[in-house]
Amino acid sequence: MTTFLRHSLWGLACLIAVCMTSPAQAQVIKVKQAELEKVESAWLLNANFGIELPSGLENALKKGVTLHFLVQFELTRSRWYWFDEKAVNVQRQVRLSHQPLINQYRINAGGLALNANSLVEALRIAGTIGGWSVIEVSAIDADKQYEAALRMTLDLGKLPKPFQVDALNSRDWSLSGEWLRFPFNASMSSVTGRK
């Protein structure tokens, strides 16, 4: 009887632990569409991300905290004899801020600065990447098959220090991005990846 009771209590404890950890899922930034387009000596990336801010991040943004997003692009080639070869690994920062006095949002990305009148418009602009040169033609072999990978995440390291502590302890501050992976062959003129 004591063994049965011990197993029952153990099972109940495990069930409670699972129920308590499931709501803490991080919010996700999703890649809606990505396309690599070949120009003269490079491949340009065009992509759209769906960004939804949790209430904690939205409130912080409206109070003057700048949000830094990190867009990562990788191009890898698998090798049977060793680790995968990383042919390309590039990053790009996208900054989103709110100017309370004029009630406008400002987006800085790739050397461009744009304004938006609403948060929905600002997130759409921040989640749009156009004409970003990610692959030099000379860096890859046209006869080999590669895998392209793309994601966007909130860069917690760029938040002010007090907010970094909140980000580690609260799901309202968690905003992660899923990788979109798709095959890439340099002999094509354009390559599209979708989720």
Side-chain angles (χ1 to χ4, degrees):
M1 185 70 173
T2 58
T3 305
F4 175 76
L5 184 60
R6 210 173 336 148
H7 285 288
S8 298
L9 288 174
W10 175 250
L12 182 62
C14 289
L15 182 64
I16 290 170
V18 167
C19 290
M20 289 180 70
T21 58
S22 61
Q25 295 291 325
Q27 301 291 325
V28 177
I29 301 172
K30 295 184 179 170
V31 186
K32 294 180 178 178
Q33 176 269 336
E35 177 189 35
L36 288 167
E37 175 187 10
K38 188 174 184 179
V39 293
E40 294 172 7
S41 62
W43 286 81
L44 305 181
L45 176 68
N46 302 308
N48 289 312
F49 296 89
I51 306 170
E52 292 182 29
L53 293 183
S55 58
L57 280 174
E58 189 174 332
N59 290 336
L61 177 64
K62 288 184 178 176
K63 290 178 182 173
V65 174
T66 300
L67 301 180
H68 296 262
F69 295 94
L70 184 65
V71 182
Q72 298 170 282
F73 177 82
E74 294 179 353
L75 191 68
T76 57
R77 184 175 65 84
S78 60
R79 297 186 286 198
W80 64 271
Y81 58 91
W82 197 244
F83 297 111
D84 292 351
E85 172 195 358
K86 284 203 177 185
V88 174
N89 187 0
V90 291
Q91 299 178 344
R92 180 180 190 172
Q93 289 281 335
V94 177
R95 273 192 347 251
L96 175 61
S97 59
H98 182 249
Q99 299 166 343
L101 292 175
I102 56 174
N103 197 23
Q104 274 194 336
Y105 295 89
R106 188 160 183 87
I107 305 98
N108 293 302
L112 295 175
L114 301 167
N115 292 326
N117 293 322
S118 70
L119 180 58
V120 172
E121 182 185 0
L123 291 174
R124 183 186 56 75
I125 293 169
T128 303
I129 304 293
W132 179 26
S133 178
V134 291
I135 305 170
E136 293 294 324
V137 172
S138 60
I140 56 175
D141 188 343
D143 299 329
K144 294 183 179 167
Q145 186 70 30
Y146 294 88
E147 181 182 66
L150 172 69
R151 79 170 176 172
M152 176 187 265
T153 59
L154 178 65
D155 191 351
L156 298 176
K158 299 277 186 177
L159 289 172
K161 294 294 180 195
F163 293 106
Q164 288 181 21
V165 174
D166 285 343
L168 294 173
N169 297 323
S170 171
R171 74 179 186 147
D172 274 351
W173 285 85
S174 298
L175 196 61
S176 64
E178 298 175 333
W179 284 100
L180 171 67
R181 299 182 186 280
F182 55 96
F184 172 79
N185 190 316
S187 62
M188 302 170 78
S189 61
S190 71
V191 179
T192 304
R194 292 186 195 281
K195 272 237 167 171

